[in-house]
Amino acid sequence: MSLIGLTKGTDLEEKITEMWKAEAIGAATYQAFAIVAQEKGLPELADELKKISADEARHGGLYASLNGHTNENLRDALSSMSIGEISAGEKIKELSNILDKLGLKEAAQAVHTAGEDECRHGEILKELIEKYL
Ligand SMILES: [Fe+2]
Ligand SMILES: [Fe+2]
């Protein structure tokens, strides 16, 4: 049986939405702890925290899909995501330029890398659509 939208329109919908958001925030929170651990010279702890973050992201996806916050037309949805990823990537790289001008070189570099990741996601999605959809 499909999980998509099972709790949409039920008494559980609001609770499941709260859980979706909490898991999404949790995923970022653990990634931030991983940065702290890395900066404290604890790369193995950082790796373990990143694994927990991945679990939380997966949980967030489960709750989002239960409430139907997804799209079963993957070709359309992933095409839109591809455009959004590339656009976001360009804006994030502009933000990195501002950070650079403020003299925040390390932050600028890290944010620039995030922007490149988003652009790469957009290109990967295009390839995946062509390959599978
Ligand atoms: Fe979780
Ligand atoms: Fe992305």
Side-chain angles (χ1 to χ4, degrees):
M1 187 174 72
S2 172
L3 296 173
I4 313 300
L6 282 183
T7 53
K8 185 180 171 68
T10 72
D11 290 346
L12 285 172
E13 184 172 12
E14 197 176 319
K15 178 67 184 166
I16 296 283
T17 292
E18 285 172 16
M19 292 167 74
W20 163 32
K21 291 177 180 173
E23 295 284 2
I25 291 169
T29 300
Y30 280 113
Q31 288 288 342
F33 285 143
I35 291 173
V36 174
Q38 192 71 41
E39 290 185 357
K40 288 182 176 291
L42 298 165
E44 288 172 2
L45 175 59
D47 286 345
E48 295 300 327
L49 294 170
K50 288 176 192 174
K51 288 183 200 167
I52 296 176
S53 170
D55 285 345
E56 307 305 17
R58 183 163 43 81
H59 301 158
L62 169 63
Y63 299 131
S65 60
L66 283 172
N67 268 357
H69 292 290
T70 185
N71 186 336
E72 293 182 79
N73 185 333
L74 287 176
R75 189 174 176 90
D76 283 359
L78 296 182
S79 293
S80 295
M81 289 297 289
S82 170
I83 293 165
E85 290 272 15
I86 291 168
S87 167
E90 296 305 332
K91 288 184 184 127
I92 290 166
K93 284 191 252 181
E94 287 169 20
L95 173 63
S96 81
N97 288 337
I98 296 170
L99 291 165
D100 189 68
K101 285 184 185 128
L102 291 171
L104 304 170
K105 302 289 178 193
E106 274 187 56
Q109 184 56 53
V111 171
H112 184 84
T113 299
E116 287 184 331
D117 285 345
E118 308 306 1
C119 290
R120 182 170 46 82
H121 296 162
E123 296 303 326
I124 289 169
L125 287 172
K126 284 185 197 171
E127 292 168 18
L128 293 174
I129 290 163
E130 285 313 306
K131 186 171 182 185
Y132 294 108
L133 300 171

